Structures are given as C-alpha cells and as structure tokens.
Amino acid sequence: MHTQSIAEVPSRRIRTGVRARDTLTEALFRDPELSGVVIPFSKGAEIYGEKEVAEYVYKVLSGSVRTYSVLNDGRRHIGAFYLPGDIFGVESEDEHSLSAEAITDASILLVRRHTVMDVAKRNQNVMGQLLHCTSRELRQARDHVQLLVKTAQERVASFLLEMSDRLSGETVELPMSRQDIADYLGLTIETVSRTLTQLGQKKAIELPTSRTIVLRNRGALAMLNS
Amino acid sequence: MHTQSIAEVPSRRIRTGVRARDTLTEALFRDPELSGVVIPFSKGAEIYGEKEVAEYVYKVLSGSVRTYSVLNDGRRHIGAFYLPGDIFGVESEDEHSLSAEAITDASILLVRRHTVMDVAKRNQNVMGQLLHCTSRELRQARDHVQLLVKTAQERVASFLLEMSDRLSGETVELPMSRQDIADYLGLTIETVSRTLTQLGQKKAIELPTSRTIVLRNRGALAMLNS
DNA sequence: CGGCGCCTTGAACCAAGTCAAGCTCTGTGG
DNA sequence: CCACAGAGCTTGACTTGGTTCAAGGCGCCG
C-alpha cells in the first residue's frame, strides 16, 4: 500500500520517451509507448509492501530506495539498494516478493505493469529489455549470495566497491544508515562500524563523516573482495 | 568445455514436444519448435564452465546437477542443485556465470540457445516461459540469500524442506554429498554433519543411511525455517 | 579382506554477536 | 545563541556458534 496515494500528491503525467535529458541508466522506460507518473516519496515512506499485488514497475529518478523483508524472528533483511536510474519492482509473479521503502526523500516514476507487459508483447525490443532487466537482478542476487559466505571485511569491502561503481566516484556519499548496511550484508551494526574503522586504520578508506567514505586504496579493497 | 564432446557420445535427436510421457515440470521445452539432443554425463563430469560461452540451454531428464563457482581462496560455492525436470544454464549474458557439473550420472537435454531465442522472438508464449524461467531462478536466488543469514540449524532445516518439496516425499534420497550441502549452505561439512545429528536427536528427522533422510516432524523443521 | 571415500565426533579456538556505555551530530525550543 | 534531546554511530568487554584440527568409524568396491 502506498503511504502517499497517487491522487493526493502533486504529480505530472509524462511520456517517458520524450524527457529531454536522460542520463539515467536503464533503457526500458525510454520507450515512447510507456508513459508513467512521477510520485515523490518522503524519507522512510513505504512504496509497496511484501505480498502486495504488483501493479506498477518503478524507476528511481532521484533519491534512493531499499527493498527488504522481515524474518519471523524480527530481523530485517535488505535485498537491494536502488539509486537514481535504477528500475525496481519488476516481478514475474503477481505479487511483490519484498517490500520497498524510500531511504531518502525520493522521486519515483511509476508505470503500470500491465502497460509494460502489453507493450512488451507487441514490441520485441521492450520484451528484450524486460528480460535483460530481470537477469541483471538475477546476477545481482547471485553476487549477493556470494557476498554472504565471506568474512566481515570482505563483505564491507565488496559493498564499498559496489557503491563506488554505482555512484561512479572515489568519494561515496552513502544514502543508507549503518543498520541498512548491516541488514544488507548479514552483519550487525557494530561489526559494520568496527570493520569500517579497521579499513580506515589500514588506510584503505577515509571517513570524513560517517556517511562519506573516500576509497583511498581500491586495490586493497579489491584484494579482500575475493 | 564439455568433458564429453557431443560427437563422442550416443545421442538421439528428439522433438521435445512429442515425448509421449512428460511428467517433468518445466513447460519451456515442450514447444514442438524446440528440438534438442540428449547427452549422458557421468558422475562428476563438467557440463559447462564458468565464463564459457552459453551455447545451449539445458534440461535435466535424469540424475542431478550442481552449478558452482570457486572463490579466489579456493572455497567452492554452490549456486543451485537441479533435479529431473529442471531447466538450467539460461543466461541473458553471453557467458555462463557459474560452472555446471553432474552430481550423479545424468542425462541432459541440450537445446541451442539461439534456437530458443529465435523461437521466443516469434512465439510470445515461449518468450513468456523464458521470462518465467529467469524469474523463478531469481526467486530461488533471493531465497538462497535469505538462507545464508540464518543459523546452521535453520539453514539445514530449510534445505531439507526444499529438497523434500522438490522430490515430493517424506523420505528424501539426497544425490549430493555433505560437502555439496555445506558449500550450498555456506557452512562446513562438520557443521552440516553435526546439525543433522542434532535434528535426529530431536526426532525431527531420521537418518537410515547418510544419504537417506526421513522427515519425521515437518512442523519442527518449518519452525526453524523462519 | 583391505583400502579408500565419505561421514561423524571431539576438543580447542576464533570471528562475529551481544550487551553496555559513551560519543557526535542535528535539529528544536527556550 | 545556547542547551538539550534523540537518533545514529563508535568502542569496549564478554559470550557464543561455527570453524579448525585431529582422530576414528562406516560402507563399498576391487
């Protein structure tokens, strides 16, 4: 359920294909046949819930998003982080398998799922992009699996390298909290914190502020990355 | 690289759609346009290697298969097990992201990847099945991620329930070794062994032989399953 | 019957978790 | 403009679940 209903918030209908400047990564929503609605979500707002019917497909225009599930013992597990340009919520099942929340204030483009599907049926190119999109998620999920069999240092190093790649810069402004990172890496918040401190002591990274991380020695991190 | 080349082994060309008895789960290869070749692999034989060009798509007819990768420190990580009826090796990239090996003697149906792709382009139904197939893999990968943040007991219990579901019976004949299970669950062989012993002591399972496991108390296992 | 894989069990050790305290921002109201 | 509250982060001391190392058992095949 959207905490902000579509009717309540200012939004503008756009033709996704005709946005003048599109530096964003995913090609899928560039197709002129796919129109959508832009919705702002404030920090912490739920975008959709686990087991909810998957009515839309989503693209991050600004801000960042986490998908997660809560285990029966109360622990939260984060499936992925989505940054501007990323598409999320693509499911082949009818319901979402994870919940999604805005990590920061974010503006999200929503396109009706059945619109995408209908276009995909006619337009081979869109179908190909959809398949590509799913299999990128698959690759990420497999990478995530490999993360979780490593040591704490390796996990944190891999995470930093991943973020640096996706935000393309040596200085990484993390949108997420230590708790988010911990739940993504399958560690505790204390272990994440300690490990970052250790990486700082090793001169592999610098921590000007707790959310700003400068990669000083990519090689050293990559070494840990396995 | 196939350790047994296609030319060397007895095989018969079949029209996958016209097999009289098809109790096997995946619909994809039932399409009459998709013809393939059946190849036998002996226990331990490599079916394809990581980073190898993905020339075929595979379906297990009998026996079982594991996909895996070897980390730089020598540890092996198993991505998935495939049982009769399962399709594997579907990649949207051009190369396989994991290696595949026969766990037991197995007969595998191979269909050329570009054949599948070509048919999928014309046949909406086949494309849908392909998408479905990829997203089932995605769901499995996400389940696998969730496995790896649990305790040893939970992991082993989940594994047994998964196997019991897929082999549909309370008595599970495991095709894989303790080492395979350990590498799948991100544990050591000793921990897997100890945990099975513990589950036996709790009367949740019985172990008539080391490869035969009888689920005595599904509820108790499901409790651990989170 | 003997050898070899595979599996189990025990004991010591260690990486990460837990519990607890204190620090550092940031925003808010007096 | 400062004081204070609260959330988020770090650090320390102790505990623990799982690994490591080592030995021995079981079952299968030649």
Side-chain angles (χ1 to χ4, degrees):
Chain A
M1 201 198 304
H2 297 113
T3 47
Q4 306 173 293
S5 112
I6 291 172
E8 284 169 20
V9 294
S11 66
R12 68 198 162 92
R13 193 145 263 281
I14 62 165
R15 309 239 356 254
T16 58
V18 287
R19 279 182 297 139
R21 197 175 59 85
D22 189 354
T23 55
L24 301 181
T25 50
E26 290 283 356
L28 181 56
F29 287 181
R30 287 194 191 125
D31 191 288
E33 287 188 87
L34 293 170
S35 68
V37 175
V38 177
I39 309 275
F41 288 90
S42 49
K43 181 175 170 170
E46 183 180 76
I47 299 169
Y48 55 78
E50 200 177 338
K51 306 239 169 114
E52 194 172 308
V53 172
E55 199 179 348
Y56 297 93
V57 171
Y58 305 80
K59 178 171 180 167
V60 182
L61 300 183
S62 70
S64 42
V65 170
R66 61 181 169 241
T67 54
Y68 68 96
S69 63
V70 177
L71 306 183
N72 66 352
D73 61 1
R75 276 178 308 167
R76 181 185 66 161
H77 180 253
I78 288 188
F81 297 112
Y82 298 92
L83 304 175
D86 292 341
I87 285 170
F88 66 99
V90 180
E91 313 270 342
S92 77
E93 318 298 300
D94 282 336
E95 18 181 86
H96 290 296
S97 57
L98 299 170
S99 306
E101 273 178 10
I103 295 178
T104 60
D105 290 352
S107 84
I108 311 285
L109 172 64
L110 281 70
V111 180
R112 287 200 168 273
R113 185 166 168 260
H114 74 75
T115 306
V116 178
M117 289 310 185
D118 287 353
V119 173
K121 280 174 187 165
R122 279 179 284 111
N123 183 334
Q124 209 210 90
N125 189 32
V126 170
M127 179 58 97
Q129 284 166 22
L130 208 56
L131 197 60
H132 176 77
C133 193
T134 311
S135 55
R136 199 179 24 69
E137 288 265 313
L138 178 57
R139 186 159 16 89
Q140 277 180 9
R142 284 179 175 163
D143 288 349
H144 200 171
V145 168
Q146 297 223 352
L147 249 196
L148 296 179
V149 302
K150 299 187 195 170
T151 65
Q153 286 221 355
E154 290 169 331
R155 294 188 212 192
V156 172
S158 301
F159 171 75
L160 293 178
L161 288 170
E162 182 197 334
M163 280 300 143
S164 151
D165 283 351
R166 291 173 63 187
L167 296 165
S168 46
E170 296 304 280
T171 301
V172 181
E173 275 298 327
L174 296 176
M176 71 290 283
S177 70
R178 294 286 186 271
Q179 188 64 63
D180 288 335
I181 299 172
D183 291 347
Y184 179 69
L185 298 180
L187 298 171
T188 59
I189 188 175
E190 292 96 332
T191 301
V192 171
S193 184
R194 275 187 251 273
T195 305
L196 286 170
T197 306
Q198 286 163 22
L199 291 176
Q201 286 163 351
K202 288 188 187 181
K203 308 289 185 200
I205 62 172
E206 259 171 64
L207 289 141
T209 77
S210 70
R211 297 287 183 105
T212 311
I213 299 190
V214 184
L215 306 197
R216 274 277 165 250
N217 188 344
R218 263 188 123 68
L221 292 175
M223 201 96 90
L224 293 172
N225 191 29
S226 154
Chain B
M1 201 198 305
H2 296 113
T3 47
Q4 308 171 292
S5 114
I6 291 172
E8 283 168 20
V9 294
S11 67
R12 69 196 162 95
R13 192 144 263 280
I14 64 163
R15 307 236 2 250
T16 59
V18 287
R19 278 182 296 138
R21 195 176 58 85
D22 189 353
T23 56
L24 302 180
T25 50
E26 290 283 357
L28 181 55
F29 288 0
R30 286 194 192 125
D31 191 287
E33 287 188 86
L34 293 170
S35 68
V37 175
V38 178
I39 310 276
F41 288 90
S42 48
K43 182 177 171 168
E46 184 180 75
I47 298 168
Y48 56 77
E50 199 178 338
K51 304 242 168 110
E52 194 173 307
V53 172
E55 201 179 347
Y56 298 91
V57 170
Y58 304 79
K59 178 171 181 168
V60 181
L61 300 183
S62 70
S64 42
V65 170
R66 62 181 167 238
T67 53
Y68 69 95
S69 63
V70 177
L71 305 183
N72 65 352
D73 61 2
R75 275 179 306 167
R76 181 184 66 161
H77 180 253
I78 288 188
F81 297 113
Y82 297 93
L83 304 175
D86 293 340
I87 286 171
F88 65 99
V90 179
E91 314 271 342
S92 76
E93 318 298 299
D94 282 336
E95 0 182 283
H96 289 294
S97 57
L98 299 169
S99 306
E101 274 178 7
I103 295 178
T104 60
D105 290 351
S107 85
I108 312 286
L109 172 64
L110 281 69
V111 179
R112 288 200 166 271
R113 184 165 168 261
H114 74 75
T115 306
V116 178
M117 288 311 186
D118 286 354
V119 172
K121 280 174 187 166
R122 280 178 285 111
N123 183 334
Q124 208 210 92
N125 190 33
V126 170
M127 179 59 97
Q129 285 168 22
L130 209 55
L131 198 59
H132 177 78
C133 193
T134 310
S135 55
R136 199 180 24 70
E137 288 264 314
L138 178 56
R139 185 159 17 88
Q140 278 180 8
R142 283 178 176 164
D143 289 349
H144 199 172
V145 168
Q146 299 222 351
L147 249 197
L148 295 179
V149 303
K150 300 186 194 171
T151 64
Q153 286 219 356
E154 290 169 332
R155 295 188 210 192
V156 172
S158 301
F159 172 75
L160 292 178
L161 288 170
E162 182 197 333
M163 281 299 145
S164 151
D165 283 351
R166 291 173 63 186
L167 296 166
S168 46
E170 296 303 281
T171 301
V172 181
E173 275 297 327
L174 296 176
M176 72 289 284
S177 69
R178 294 287 185 270
Q179 188 63 64
D180 288 335
I181 299 172
D183 291 348
Y184 179 69
L185 298 180
L187 299 170
T188 59
I189 187 175
E190 292 95 332
T191 300
V192 171
S193 183
R194 275 188 253 272
T195 305
L196 286 170
T197 306
Q198 286 163 23
L199 292 176
Q201 285 163 353
K202 287 188 185 179
K203 309 288 183 200
I205 62 172
E206 260 171 63
L207 289 141
T209 77
S210 70
R211 297 286 183 107
T212 311
I213 298 188
V214 185
L215 305 197
R216 274 276 164 251
N217 188 346
R218 262 187 124 68
L221 292 176
M223 200 97 89
L224 293 172
N225 190 30
S226 154

